[in-house]
Amino acid sequence: MADKDGAKASKDFGVGVPPPEQGGFPVKGAGHLDWGMQHRLARMFDPVSGNTVMLAFDHGYIMGPTSGLERLDLVIPPLAGHVNVLMGTRGAFKTCVPPTVQKPIVLRGTYDTSVLFEDMSVGGGIAVDMANAVAMDASAVAVQTFVGAPGEKNSLELLARTVDAGTAAGVPTLGVVAVGKDMARTEEFFLLATRLLAENGAHVVKSYYCDGFERVTAACPVPIVIAGGKKLPEADALAMAYRAIAEGARGVDMGRNIFQAEDPAAMAQAVGQVVHHGFTATEAFTFYQDTKA
Ligand code: 5RP
């Protein structure tokens, strides 16, 4: 207990010094959020660049042991130091990522049907509720959505309920735009899907790069991070990341193009040079070649 006898007299009240600026929170669309939400978002986005490199390794939740992710315990911890955020499932974190890893985590909050099921776009349900996400110190919870597909209604309901629960707990929601087998990856589709997720409360949207991407990012009132998609040659993946950042993405949430690269650690760092340090695709590819083992 503080001892009132002998306490130093208070005298430095900073009279005349204006209070700290309360506005100007750097994450797009997040200026009016509560302190806990902003605190979590501020962990995810670099304070200088305003951008983020998220490593997605949640593929096993529908695909089983994907190439490059056969041993999560061997692959993910060494990459953690090269990215800003780790995105995975509860089971992967609890078994394969030591809690001493000082990185914000985005938890996949919904389950979906596996690749053996006839149509993944029917969607799934809640995999981790908000109390458990808070218990894992999640910086955000990711919800898969299926705009324009059979699972649209169910997945938007899951998104809305996650945003409600997350708002009460101070946990942001990452809305993920899924692209079905038969869905055109057009500017029109991504304009609709990204805006729809943001207007239904997502605080960050994960989507795909497309032609007309600068209009997609302009029309979306929250940050967009791009998925990498299927493995590309490293130079092409870096070129896609460069175009996405140049056209308004606030980062990447990349999986296969990092962990399936010939040198995943060098690739994660090269992506970081594009996302945070203004490297061109060519500069980043040179960096990758110089860095890889
Ligand atoms: C699927 C996801 C996955 O996490 C993500 O797309 C995987 O990353 P990548 O496509 O870069 O391998 O959210 O909707």
Side-chain angles (χ1 to χ4, degrees):
M1 195 176 141
D3 183 352
K4 75 180 169 53
D5 298 326
K8 243 178 125 187
S10 304
K11 57 178 185 205
D12 191 4
F13 292 94
V15 174
V17 180
E21 174 58 52
Q22 299 286 323
F25 186 68
V27 179
K28 186 178 184 183
H32 299 145
L33 297 179
D34 203 359
W35 195 93
M37 283 271 192
Q38 290 193 343
H39 189 59
R40 284 186 164 92
L41 287 168
R43 293 182 202 162
M44 294 168 57
F45 290 88
D46 180 89
V48 177
S49 69
N51 295 340
T52 185
V53 177
M54 298 171 56
L55 175 66
F57 56 97
D58 56 340
H59 305 59
Y61 96 112
I62 53 165
M63 296 165 80
T66 321
S67 170
L69 291 184
E70 294 87 351
R71 286 288 301 271
L72 292 166
D73 59 330
L74 300 181
V75 173
I76 302 306
L79 291 176
H82 302 304
V83 299
N84 298 99
V85 178
L86 299 173
M87 180 200 184
T89 58
R90 164 167 56 184
F93 279 113
K94 289 202 173 183
T95 56
C96 300
V97 181
T100 47
V101 80
Q102 291 299 308
K103 285 291 161 183
I105 70 165
V106 174
L107 262 191
R108 179 163 277 286
T110 48
Y111 67 84
D112 289 297
T113 54
S114 80
V115 284
L116 295 181
F117 198 73
E118 60 200 25
D119 183 4
M120 185 202 168
S121 63
V122 295
I126 296 288
V128 184
D129 67 18
M130 198 51 68
N132 276 285
V134 171
M136 287 189 69
D137 195 26
S139 290
V141 171
V143 175
Q144 193 84 358
T145 63
F146 300 92
V147 176
E152 176 175 297
K153 182 170 181 295
N154 178 55
S155 63
L156 294 180
E157 178 66 23
L158 298 178
L159 175 72
R161 297 291 74 81
T162 302
V163 172
D164 279 346
T167 299
V171 178
T173 298
L174 172 76
V176 182
V177 176
V179 282
K181 279 199 294 277
D182 306 321
M183 288 160 67
R185 297 185 177 209
T186 60
E187 176 184 340
E188 289 68 29
F189 171 72
F190 290 118
L191 272 169
L192 170 73
T194 55
R195 179 66 171 264
L196 202 144
L197 298 202
E199 294 219 18
N200 280 291
H203 303 97
V204 182
V205 169
K206 172 173 177 172
S207 188
Y208 290 83
Y209 182 75
C210 63
D211 289 341
F213 190 69
E214 69 274 26
R215 288 183 286 278
V216 177
T217 57
C220 184
V222 300
I224 293 181
V225 293
I226 62 153
K230 286 193 181 123
K231 172 77 174 68
L232 302 169
E234 283 81 353
D236 294 352
L238 291 167
M240 179 173 68
Y242 173 76
R243 285 196 300 274
I245 296 296
E247 294 171 28
R250 298 322 306 240
V252 302
D253 186 7
M254 204 173 248
R256 288 162 287 182
N257 279 292
I258 291 179
F259 62 72
Q260 292 179 352
E262 190 188 339
D263 185 327
M267 188 60 179
Q269 292 172 73
V271 171
Q273 299 294 359
V274 170
V275 169
H276 296 305
H277 301 298
F279 276 35
T280 63
T282 310
E283 289 168 339
F285 186 59
T286 303
F287 174 93
Y288 171 71
Q289 287 178 306
D290 291 347
T291 307
K292 78 178 176 175

